[in-house]
Amino acid sequence: MIDSHAHLNFPNFQKDLTEVLERAKQNGVDFIINIGADYKSSQIAINMAQDYEGLFATVGFHPESLNEEKFNSRLLEDLIGQPKVVAVGECGLDYFRIKPNDFAAQKLQQEIFIAQIELAKKFNLPLVLHCRANQKEQNSPYEQMLQILKKENVKRGVFHCFSGDWRLAKEFIELGFCIGLTGIITFPNYRHVDLLKNIPLDNVLIETDCPFLAPQSVRGQRNEPAFVKHIAEHLANIKNINMEEVDRITTQNTKKLFNI
Ligand SMILES: [Zn+2]
C-alpha cells in the first residue's frame, strides 16, 4: 500500500518518526510520499527521502504558506532538482480564509499556482493540487483551477484530498488528473458516496494527509500512514470488492503517476 500524501516532514512527527515508520511497515505501507508545503517542509521531505528507502518527496508552496513567507520560484527550483523529488506541489488555490471579494488575494494565489505549473513543466513532473473554497462556495476556486489547468495545458497530477461531487471529479479526470481520497470519505457526514460508487479505481489514489484528517475509526488521533488502510477498506466496502483489489490498483496508479 502507498500513502500518496503525508506530512511526516511536519513538526508533529519529530519525536517519534521511527515508530511511525515502523507502524506503517507493519500495516503494509511500503511507500510514503511526503508533501512539501513551503521551503522548509520541502527540504525536510527531501532529507527524509534520502534517509529512508520507501520515502519520496514533493516540493511545493501551499497557498496558505503565503501567510508566513513570500513565494520565491528560484528557491523552489533549487529544491526540485534534488534526488527522489517526484512532483511539484502541493500548490493551488485556497479561499477558505480570505474574504469572498478579496480579488487581489485570489489573483496572487493564482499567479503563484501558475509559477509552480511552469516548474512542473520544466522538470517534467506531475502536480499535487490543493483546492479549497470558502464556506459560502463563492468565487469557485475549482472552476478557476480548471480554467488555469486547461489554459496551461497540463494533464498530469493528482487533486489531493478531493471533497467535491462526482460531476466536478469527472472534469478533473477528463483533463487527465487522478483523484486523491482521504479519511474524509469515512466520516458519517461525507456527502458524496455516489462519487465513491461511480469513480473508476484507475483514477484514484489513497492518502492520509497526516497529521490531519484521521479516518473515522481512529478519529481524534494524530493521523499517520499506517491508517491509510482504513481508507482502502472503506472504499472496498462501498464498491463491494476486496481491499486487496483497492490496494493493488491504487498502488499501481501512484507508482505510475510519480514514476517510482
Ligand atoms: Zn497536504
Side-chain angles (χ1 to χ4, degrees):
M1 219 169 322
I2 302 183
D3 184 355
S4 67
H5 190 117
H7 295 291
L8 299 182
N9 46 342
F10 283 10
N12 316 59
F13 296 99
Q14 226 165 33
K15 288 197 183 112
D16 59 344
L17 180 67
T18 329
E19 287 91 335
V20 169
L21 290 174
E22 191 50 43
R23 281 196 292 275
K25 206 171 242 171
Q26 280 163 7
N27 283 278
V29 181
D30 313 306
F31 298 99
I32 298 167
I33 320 287
N34 281 314
I35 306 291
D38 54 21
Y39 306 108
K40 194 171 171 214
S41 59
S42 297
Q43 180 67 66
I44 297 172
I46 291 168
N47 296 346
M48 283 182 173
Q50 272 155 8
D51 291 344
Y52 299 95
E53 206 193 323
L55 267 49
F56 293 85
T58 76
V59 169
F61 193 91
H62 188 291
E64 288 208 316
S65 296
L66 266 176
N67 303 328
E68 312 292 328
E69 60 189 321
K70 280 206 171 93
F71 176 74
N72 180 332
S73 188
R74 224 13 242 270
L75 279 178
L76 277 192
E77 192 167 342
D78 290 342
L79 294 177
I80 297 172
Q82 304 287 319
K84 292 180 89 179
V85 172
V86 295
V88 174
E90 49 187 300
C91 57
L93 307 174
D94 193 324
Y95 297 169
F96 194 69
R97 287 190 180 86
I98 63 175
K99 291 194 186 78
N101 52 3
D102 189 348
F103 297 111
Q106 292 181 20
K107 181 109 192 298
L108 181 62
Q109 287 195 16
Q110 289 167 17
E111 283 167 7
I112 291 171
F113 177 41
I114 291 168
Q116 291 178 86
I117 291 176
E118 298 302 333
L119 289 174
K121 283 180 178 169
K122 185 169 177 184
F123 287 86
N124 194 23
L125 288 172
L127 282 168
V128 176
L129 303 175
H130 167 97
C131 195
R132 188 163 61 149
N134 66 23
Q135 284 105 326
K136 288 176 184 152
E137 305 265 326
Q138 282 163 326
N139 313 121
S140 169
Y142 303 105
E143 292 305 324
Q144 292 173 2
M145 179 174 267
L146 273 170
Q147 275 171 22
I148 291 171
L149 293 170
K150 282 178 189 163
K151 192 166 165 239
E152 295 290 321
N153 194 28
V154 276
K155 300 179 162 68
R156 253 175 85 214
V158 55
F159 189 130
H160 126 80
C161 195
F162 191 85
S163 60
D165 60 15
W166 171 228
R167 182 200 62 80
L168 184 68
K170 262 197 294 197
E171 292 203 57
F172 281 91
I173 290 171
E174 275 162 26
L175 265 186
F177 284 81
C178 295
I179 299 296
L181 299 176
T182 60
I184 61 170
I185 69 165
T186 66
F187 296 169
N189 63 351
Y190 178 68
R191 288 178 300 164
H192 303 299
V193 178
D194 62 317
L195 175 146
L196 303 181
K197 287 185 176 150
N198 284 315
I199 192 166
L201 270 183
D202 287 339
N203 302 113
V204 174
L205 307 191
I206 52 174
E207 55 166 295
T208 58
D209 200 18
C210 65
F212 317 110
L213 301 173
Q216 186 63 22
S217 52
V218 286
R219 205 163 172 179
Q221 295 184 39
R222 178 190 64 176
N223 200 4
E224 62 176 63
F227 298 156
V228 75
K229 66 177 179 188
H230 297 298
I231 300 156
E233 212 164 40
H234 187 78
L235 197 53
N237 285 340
I238 301 253
K239 287 196 165 303
N240 205 14
I241 55 177
N242 58 44
M243 187 178 150
E244 288 69 33
E245 186 77 349
V246 173
D247 176 15
R248 186 181 63 80
I249 298 174
T250 56
T251 294
Q252 194 175 293
N253 298 341
T254 311
K255 284 185 170 174
K256 191 177 157 206
L257 178 67
F258 295 124
N259 197 19
I260 58 178

